[in-house]
Amino acid sequence: MNEIPDTIQVLHVDDEPNFADMTATFLEREDERFAVETATSASAGTEQLEQNRFDCVISDYDMPNQNGIEFLKSVREQYPELPFILFTGKGSEEVASDAISAGVTDYLQKEGGTDQYTVLANRITNAVEHQRTRERVERSEQRLREIVDSLPHLLYVLDENGNYLLVNEALAAFHDSTVDDIEGSNITEVLDESAATQFQQFIGDTLETGTTKRAPEVEVSDPDGETHVFEPRLQPYEFGDVDDRTVLGIAADVTERKRYERRLATLNETTPELMAAETRTGVAEIGVEAAADVLGLEASGIHLYDEQNGLVPVAQTDAGHALVGDPPTFTGEDSIAWRVYEQGEPLAIEDVHDNPDIYNPNSPVRSELILPLGEAGVLIASSPTAATFDDEDSVLVEILASNITAALEQVERTAEIRAREAELERQNERLEEFASVVSHDLRNPLQVAQGRLELLKKDCETEQVAPIERALDRMDVLIEDILTLAHEGVRVNEMEAVALREVCDACWQHVETAEATLEITTDKTIRADRSRLQQLIENLVRNAVEHGSDDVTVTVGDLDSGFYVADDGRGIPADERESVFDAGYSTADDGTGFGLSIVKQVADAHGWTITVTESEAGGARFEITGTEQA
C-alpha cells in the first residue's frame, strides 16, 4: 500500500499579503507537515498551480479582478478533485451557496483570535487525507483492473457470416466443449439468440468501418446457466486463404470485475461514515459492519492496542462471536495477531489446521485474514471453511483496513487537538491574570514615578535625571511588551536581521549587573523580532545576576542552530529544570516568577526551542535552537 506523503503542500490566495503570510506561519506551526505558499491574486494563484503541485488551495472571497468563487470555478476546470477551502471574512448564505454549487470542498469564515487557524489546519488535514484516501482507493482499483485484464481471454476468428474459423482453449473451456467441436460451427449454435445477434452486428460494424471496435458489453451464459459479462474487441483480419472477410476477436470476461466494482463502490460509501466517527470504538464498530455487509466477511473483529493490556477486542460481528465466542486479548509473540501487528504486514491463512503446532487443531476456524491497522491494532476476518478468501477479498479488505486506519488516526488527532485547545485556554487564563498584575501593580507606580520625575526636572537640574528618565522609559517599553505578549501569546511582530552581539550589549546596559561580567563569543546574526529578542536576553541576564554571586560571569555563545546564555552561578537542580519556565516559578524572595516564563513565550513566538541544562562552570545554561540565520 502507498504511504501518505509527509508534507502537505498548501496554496493560500489572499489579496492581503500580510494576512496571507501570517496564516501561512500559523498553519506551519500547527502542523509541521504543512508547507504553505502564498499568492495575492487569483491570477497569481493560477500561475502557482501551473508551476507547482499542491495538495490543497485556500482562497479569500473578496479579491479584485476575480473573486474567490470565480477562482474556484477556474480551478475546478483544470483540477476537479483538488481540495479547495474558501476562507473568507465575507460570510453569507449566498456566498456559501455559490461556493457549494461551484464545488468547494469546505467553507470557513474568518474570525478574530488564533483558534481559527487550528480549525483551518484541521479542515485542511481532513480534506487532504480524504482526497488521498480516495486516490489510494482508485490506485488499488486500477491495480486490480490490471490483474483482471492480464488473465487469459477468449480468442476467436469469425467470418462475415458468424462462422468460427479459429478459437482458443479458453473459449472452448468456457463453453465446456473442445476447439475441434466449435471451429466450423456458427455463433448461433454456440451462443444464445440475444448474444449471437449482438455479435453478428459487431462483425458487420467492424467490417464496414475497417477499424478496430470495442463492442458494448455482452452477456453470455455458460453450460451451467450462469451469466457472464464480456467486453469483446474486434478488428479486421486476414485469415489464411479464406476468401470471405474475417475479424479477429478477443473477449475479456469482466463478470468478476463488475461484481468487484459494485463491492468497491459500496465500500467507498462507508468511508465518510468511518471518517465521521468520533471514537476509536465507533470506528471499529463501523469497520466490522462494513467487513460483513459489504465484503461478506461475516465473522470479523477488530482489536485495538492498549499500553497496559495489549491488543484488546473492541468490536465483533455476531457471526464472529458465534464462531469463536468471546475473543481473547493478544499480548505476546505466541500470538499470530500480535506478530502481524508488530511486523505491520497482512497475513492470509488458508487452513489453520495445517499447522497444529501453532494453531488449536480443535478450533472451529479454518481460514483467516489478519491485517494491521497501523499502530492502532488489527482487523481479523475468520471463516469455518478452508481457503475461503481469494485475492479479491484480500485487496478489498486491505482497502477497508487502510480506511479504518485513517479514521482511527483522525480520531487520535482530533483528541490531541482538543487537548491542546484546552491547554491553550488554560494558558490564556494564566496570561490574563499575569497581564492584570503587570498592568495594575507595575504600571501605576511607574506612572507616579514618571510624574514625580517631571516635577523634579522643573525643580532642579542634575545629571542624575537623564539616567532615571531612560530607565523609566525602558520600564514603560518593557511593560508594554509584556502586556502585548500576555495578550497575544505566541505572536511576533516584524522579523528582521538582528546581530546577537549588538542586542547583548544593549541588554547589559539595561540590567543592574553589579560586579557581573558579560562575555560575548558570538558574531551570529539571526532573524527575530528585535524587541522580543531583547526581552528574552535581558530576562536571562537578569536571572543569572539575581541568582548568582555579585561577580557572576554571563556568557553568550554559538550553537549549530542557535545560541546559548550561560553563567557560572549556582545553577538549577535537575529535578526543577522542567518547572523553571512555569509562570510564578521563582527561588528568590523578591522574584515575580515571570521572567523565565516570558523567555519561554518569546522563544515559542519565534518557533524556537529553549532548554536548560548545566553550564561548563556548574551554573545554568539556556540553549535556544531552531533560529534562522540572517
Side-chain angles (χ1 to χ4, degrees):
M1 293 182 290
N2 293 312
E3 296 294 330
I4 297 177
D6 291 335
T7 59
I8 296 177
Q9 302 290 335
V10 179
L11 173 62
H12 184 196
V13 181
D14 195 302
D15 62 332
E16 291 291 338
N18 290 334
F19 180 80
D21 291 339
M22 181 180 66
T23 301
T25 300
F26 272 94
L27 288 177
E28 291 176 348
R29 287 178 184 167
E30 282 292 330
D31 193 326
E32 62 182 5
R33 294 179 301 167
F34 286 164
V36 185
E37 298 290 334
T38 61
T40 56
S41 67
S43 59
T46 301
E47 292 180 3
Q48 287 267 44
L49 287 170
E50 292 174 350
Q51 297 172 4
N52 304 290
R53 177 191 174 279
F54 292 95
D55 299 302
C56 183
V57 176
I58 313 168
S59 176
D60 190 13
Y61 170 79
D62 196 2
M63 297 185 295
N65 298 327
Q66 190 177 27
N67 64 32
I69 301 298
E70 294 168 340
F71 178 46
L72 168 61
K73 292 178 179 178
S74 67
V75 170
R76 281 288 170 260
E77 291 178 359
Q78 295 296 323
Y79 313 95
E81 304 299 333
L82 180 62
F84 190 109
I85 297 176
L86 199 62
F87 183 43
T88 175
K90 184 174 183 179
S92 70
E93 292 183 1
E94 181 180 359
V95 172
S97 176
D98 290 343
I100 293 171
S101 299
V104 74
T105 305
D106 209 337
Y107 176 90
L108 184 63
Q109 189 170 349
K110 296 176 182 176
E111 298 177 352
T114 60
D115 288 348
Q116 63 177 331
Y117 302 110
T118 300
V119 176
L120 178 59
N122 191 33
R123 299 283 183 89
I124 294 170
T125 302
N126 289 343
V128 171
E129 293 186 350
H130 177 74
Q131 175 63 16
R132 289 177 174 174
T133 298
R134 184 165 57 183
E135 291 173 353
R136 186 165 58 248
V137 170
E138 291 174 354
R139 288 193 296 270
S140 298
E141 181 182 4
Q142 179 61 32
R143 180 176 64 178
L144 188 60
R145 287 181 185 276
E146 292 172 355
I147 294 173
V148 171
D149 291 342
S150 68
L151 298 176
H153 303 315
L154 311 189
L155 183 145
Y156 45 89
V157 176
L158 296 165
D159 65 16
E160 57 185 330
N161 297 314
N163 296 312
Y164 285 107
L165 304 181
L166 175 72
V167 300
N168 67 348
E169 290 287 350
L171 187 148
F174 174 80
H175 292 289
D176 194 21
S177 183
T178 65
V179 170
D180 291 340
D181 286 343
I182 295 180
E183 288 182 352
S185 63
N186 191 271
I187 55 176
T188 57
E189 302 174 68
V190 178
L191 305 177
D192 59 44
E193 182 178 355
S194 175
T197 301
Q198 283 183 281
F199 263 98
Q200 190 62 61
Q201 182 65 47
F202 301 156
I203 295 170
D205 292 344
T206 302
L207 294 175
E208 181 179 350
T209 61
T211 59
T212 301
K213 297 189 70 67
R214 184 183 295 276
E217 296 173 2
V218 59
E219 294 184 352
V220 180
S221 298
D222 63 19
D224 296 328
E226 183 178 351
T227 300
H228 292 248
V229 180
F230 287 92
E231 286 185 349
R233 184 168 58 187
L234 288 79
Q235 66 182 53
Y237 183 71
E238 293 185 2
F239 183 72
D241 298 329
V242 177
D243 294 331
D244 294 335
R245 296 180 299 171
T246 59
V247 296
L248 170 67
I250 298 176
D253 187 341
V254 296
T255 306
E256 291 301 313
R257 192 184 78 192
K258 291 298 178 182
R259 184 174 69 90
Y260 165 78
E261 288 175 351
R262 289 192 296 271
R263 296 174 75 190
L264 183 59
T266 308
L267 179 60
N268 287 339
E269 293 173 1
T270 68
T271 302
E273 187 179 0
L274 279 170
M275 302 305 289
E278 296 183 352
T279 65
R280 283 158 48 98
T281 300
V283 172
E285 290 174 348
I286 295 171
V288 296
E289 183 179 346
D293 296 344
V294 179
L295 304 183
L297 308 178
E298 296 181 355
S300 58
I302 288 179
H303 292 63
L304 298 182
Y305 177 72
D306 178 88
E307 288 186 1
Q308 295 182 343
N309 302 310
L311 292 172
V312 179
V314 295
Q316 184 184 32
T317 61
D318 292 339
H321 187 272
L323 182 63
V324 301
D326 293 332
T329 296
F330 303 118
T331 57
E333 287 296 323
D334 57 334
S335 163
I336 298 297
W338 182 265
R339 290 207 290 271
V340 169
Y341 170 71
E342 284 199 326
Q343 295 170 5
E345 294 293 335
L347 177 64
I349 306 166
E350 289 195 354
D351 194 346
V352 301
H353 291 182
D354 291 342
N355 299 280
D357 295 336
I358 301 176
Y359 302 99
N360 178 8
N362 298 319
S363 171
V365 175
R366 294 295 299 273
S367 53
E368 272 191 337
L369 275 176
I370 308 175
L371 293 101
L373 303 175
E375 298 181 357
V378 293
L379 166 65
I380 303 176
S382 306
S383 172
T385 306
T388 298
F389 309 113
D390 57 22
D391 291 340
E392 181 180 302
D393 291 326
S394 298
V395 172
L396 288 172
V397 78
E398 280 191 27
I399 295 172
L400 175 61
S402 177
N403 291 344
I404 293 173
T405 302
L408 290 169
E409 290 174 351
Q410 177 171 289
V411 168
E412 183 176 349
R413 281 192 301 272
T414 301
E416 291 174 352
I417 289 172
R418 289 174 178 170
R420 183 178 179 187
E421 289 175 346
E423 177 60 24
L424 287 174
E425 186 174 347
R426 289 191 293 271
Q427 290 179 5
N428 288 336
E429 291 174 356
R430 292 197 295 268
L431 287 173
E432 287 296 332
E433 181 181 353
F434 173 44
S436 177
V437 171
V438 171
S439 179
H440 182 271
D441 294 354
L442 294 184
R443 175 161 280 170
N444 289 348
L446 177 61
Q447 290 175 346
V448 172
Q450 289 172 329
R452 293 293 184 181
L453 180 60
E454 288 298 319
L455 294 175
L456 180 62
K457 288 167 61 178
K458 293 178 180 179
D459 291 344
C460 64
E461 293 184 4
T462 172
E463 61 182 9
Q464 301 300 326
V465 170
I468 296 174
E469 190 170 29
R470 286 196 301 271
L472 292 177
D473 289 343
R474 179 57 185 162
M475 288 177 63
D476 193 30
V477 171
L478 279 175
I479 290 174
E480 188 64 34
D481 285 349
I482 291 171
L483 287 173
T484 300
L485 177 62
H487 287 303
E488 296 184 2
V490 291
R491 190 186 299 274
V492 293
N493 296 317
E494 183 177 356
M495 300 285 284
E496 57 182 306
V498 182
L500 282 175
R501 179 178 293 275
E502 176 186 329
V503 172
C504 292
D505 283 335
C507 292
W508 194 255
Q509 303 302 318
H510 294 108
V511 177
E512 293 292 338
T513 56
E515 301 298 324
T517 303
L518 174 66
E519 293 184 359
I520 305 174
T521 63
T522 177
D523 291 316
K524 182 176 289 186
T525 298
I526 64 174
R527 288 188 55 78
D529 180 328
R530 181 183 295 272
S531 176
R532 294 292 178 83
L533 177 60
Q534 191 163 332
Q535 279 185 335
L536 180 148
I537 295 176
E538 281 187 11
N539 281 344
L540 290 179
V541 170
R542 186 177 295 109
N543 181 76
V545 172
E546 290 177 353
H547 295 84
S549 58
D550 290 343
D551 60 350
V552 67
T553 297
V554 181
T555 304
V556 182
D558 279 340
L559 294 173
D560 288 342
S561 60
F563 63 95
Y564 68 85
V565 179
D567 62 63
D568 58 359
R570 63 174 181 263
I572 300 173
D575 59 350
E576 296 183 22
R577 290 172 187 166
E578 292 185 2
S579 304
V580 296
F581 298 112
D582 294 342
Y585 175 90
S586 178
T587 59
D589 294 337
D590 58 350
T592 66
F594 292 115
L596 293 182
S597 177
I598 293 174
V599 169
K600 178 69 164 57
Q601 288 282 7
V602 174
D604 289 345
H606 285 84
W608 303 337
T609 299
I610 183 168
T611 55
V612 59
T613 183
E614 184 177 343
S615 69
E616 294 181 359
R621 173 176 163 125
F622 293 87
E623 297 183 347
I624 296 90
T625 56
T627 65
E628 179 184 354
Q629 188 163 337

